[in-house]
Amino acid sequence: MLDALSDKFEKILKKLRGQGVLTEQNITEALKEVRLALLEADVNFKIVKDFTERVRQKAVGQEVLQSLTPGHQVVKVVWDELCEMMGRECAGLALHSTPPTVVMMVGLQGAGKTTTCGKLARLFKGQGKRVLLVAADPRRPAAGDQLSSLGRDLGVDVHRIDNAQATQADVVRICQAGVERGREQGFDLVVLDTGGRLHIDDELMGELVAVKTAVMPQEVLLVADAMTGQDAVTMASQFDQKVGLTGVILTKVEGDARGGAVLSIRAVTGKPIKFLGVGEKLDALEVFHPDRMASRILGMGDVLSLIEKAQATFSQEQAEEAQQRLTSNTFTLEDFRKQLGQMNKLGSLEQILGMLPGGQKLKSALENEKPEREMKRVAAMIDSMTTRERRDHTIINGSRKKRIARGSGASVQDVNRLIKQFLSAKKLAKAMTGTGGRRQLAQLMRSM
């Protein structure tokens, strides 16, 4: 989502880092470009003006201009101010000391509210919490059906009572009953999927206020579509004024939105972004860390988030088993295929590169290579092999290669290249994990 902004920031700050001495004029010119980049990213005009002024005041201070590395000092100032703009601290979810914690989800239709309820349930179920989903929009059976379907997929209970003619009082009673059930049956989290509209109206706001007053939730979270840019910021302000929010969940941030909502919501509303919806799947929900987002915008990567994703995807036992098989020379194409599947769980290659320092450059370099398409082709070829072939590549002769190629829509040359790449990767991985790995790796690289 923030690729374009990140690319512009990287170019602007590279100019500053390349100069041994900075002057007020250098900084003023750079900040003009920063201001333009933020405005093009659809950041609120007043926020941009305040941001650039704060950066200018700090950047022209004596401790920066007379520093041995003034360009890097300015980058640090920009990073600090980006963190400040987005909230600095990770907000997280305020869990109540006495269960259940009641989370009231609000928002307009189409923002992904019901799906986000499912994502939240999956996240906390994975942390060992018992979650109850409450269908608090009884007039729309489709909403209840969707929530029930998500509950079945996740193995999470759903409290649901359909009533096409439900009044505001009926909706309040359903929410109260859901919270009471959560308390009686020992649930840790009760998530209320409230009704939405195509636009904000007094009837919707009145109903949400009535529900909030009756159940007194610990969290009132607005689910907003990041693709709508400043409209999402405006909507957050209206919901906060009329209902009272504790935070925001931005959805569809994996799309090509310009990022203005991420950078503006906290500064305009005072309410923190708590989570980001980064895809359609139920595991595509990330805790929002302002400092990590600032680092990604400035091209510094977000290695901590990548490590957390990897730890959630690969168990310690899986990692140890893979290393053992590599060092004992028993690593097969079957293991290789499993590793590809695990990589897919981490997210798209674009998302992974976005978390690495300098990842923007890598993405640009690979733009015409289509690595994800190549990974799918490799997976298709391995899937076309028999179990015996996957476990022992040495038996794959000419006729077997033809069959594998036909079954995967590839060519025999592709199959040959796959086997060659597998053997090279196996040698490389073994060199890196074995004793004297650095020396062996250097020898291997010279021979390739």
Side-chain angles (χ1 to χ4, degrees), residues 83-375:
C83 291
E84 195 66 41
M85 185 195 299
M86 293 185 286
R88 190 162 289 279
E89 298 295 331
C90 172
L93 210 63
L95 297 177
H96 200 267
S97 55
T98 306
T101 297
V102 181
V103 180
M104 182 176 167
M105 307 286 274
V106 301
L108 300 183
Q109 285 181 27
K113 181 157 46 65
T114 300
T115 303
T116 303
C117 289
K119 289 179 179 180
L120 208 58
R122 183 191 181 282
L123 179 69
F124 282 92
K125 186 186 177 188
Q127 296 175 8
K129 307 288 185 186
R130 291 190 67 215
V131 183
L132 176 65
L133 295 172
V134 178
D137 189 5
R139 305 180 193 92
R140 291 180 59 235
D145 289 344
Q146 185 184 355
L147 200 67
S148 296
S149 177
L150 290 171
R152 282 193 300 273
D153 292 343
L154 294 167
V156 169
D157 288 354
V158 176
H159 183 81
R160 176 186 179 186
I161 301 172
D162 288 343
N163 181 358
Q165 307 301 319
T167 63
Q168 185 182 105
D170 293 328
V171 174
V172 169
R173 279 193 290 271
I174 290 169
C175 292
Q176 287 176 317
V179 173
E180 188 58 34
R181 176 181 168 185
R183 189 174 294 112
E184 290 175 354
Q185 297 182 9
F187 285 92
D188 298 295
L189 203 73
V190 176
V191 181
L192 307 180
D193 182 22
T194 63
R197 300 285 192 282
L198 293 174
H199 58 273
I200 294 173
D201 59 38
D202 292 337
E203 184 184 355
L204 169 64
M205 291 302 178
E207 182 173 294
L208 295 177
V209 169
V211 170
K212 182 184 176 185
T213 303
V215 302
M216 292 186 291
Q218 280 71 49
E219 294 275 7
V220 181
L221 302 180
L222 171 70
V223 180
D225 184 347
M227 300 287 284
T228 60
Q230 285 305 302
D231 285 345
V233 180
T234 303
M235 183 179 66
S237 298
Q238 291 176 335
F239 266 92
D240 186 42
Q241 289 167 10
K242 297 183 179 180
V243 182
L245 302 175
T246 59
V248 178
I249 299 178
L250 276 181
T251 62
K252 306 178 187 177
V253 299
E254 78 283 4
D256 58 358
R258 289 176 289 172
V262 174
L263 291 166
S264 301
I265 278 184
R266 175 67 169 74
V268 172
T269 67
K271 305 302 176 184
I273 298 173
K274 300 215 171 189
F275 298 95
L276 296 177
V278 294
E280 294 180 4
K281 294 182 180 178
L282 291 174
D283 61 353
L285 187 72
E286 292 182 359
V287 176
F288 181 68
H289 296 270
D291 55 342
R292 299 183 191 181
M293 181 59 74
S295 295
R296 286 167 75 171
I297 291 170
L298 297 181
M300 301 173 188
D302 181 6
V303 178
L304 281 176
S305 290
L306 185 58
I307 291 170
E308 287 171 3
K309 273 193 167 192
Q311 287 174 336
T313 304
F314 302 91
S315 67
Q316 184 70 23
E317 293 77 16
Q318 287 173 321
E320 288 174 357
E321 182 187 354
Q323 184 172 347
Q324 187 177 5
R325 292 178 76 83
L326 279 167
T327 52
S328 63
N329 207 29
T330 58
F331 193 78
T332 66
L333 281 164
E334 193 169 56
D335 298 315
F336 190 47
R337 177 69 180 89
K338 286 179 185 175
Q339 296 298 314
L340 286 177
Q342 296 283 18
M343 281 290 290
N344 285 334
K345 290 181 183 177
L346 281 176
S348 69
L349 190 62
E350 190 174 345
Q351 288 174 326
I352 295 170
L353 289 176
M355 294 182 182
L356 295 174
Q360 195 64 32
K361 293 178 183 175
L362 283 170
K363 276 197 267 188
S364 300
L366 292 172
E367 198 168 3
N368 298 321
E369 298 295 325
K370 306 296 182 190
E372 289 194 344
R373 186 185 299 171
E374 185 62 26
M375 286 173 68

Side-chain angles (χ1 to χ4, degrees), residues 13-52:
L13 297 174
K14 185 179 179 182
K15 288 181 189 176
L16 292 179
R17 287 195 297 265
Q19 297 180 27
V21 178
L22 284 183
T23 65
E24 286 193 38
Q25 185 180 353
N26 295 144
I27 292 169
T28 300
E29 289 172 358
L31 285 178
K32 282 181 182 177
E33 295 182 50
V34 167
R35 179 160 50 270
L36 185 60
L38 289 171
L39 289 172
E40 286 178 353
D42 198 24
V43 180
N44 180 281
F45 173 75
K46 186 177 182 302
I47 301 302
V48 173
K49 185 180 177 183
D50 292 344
F51 173 82
T52 51

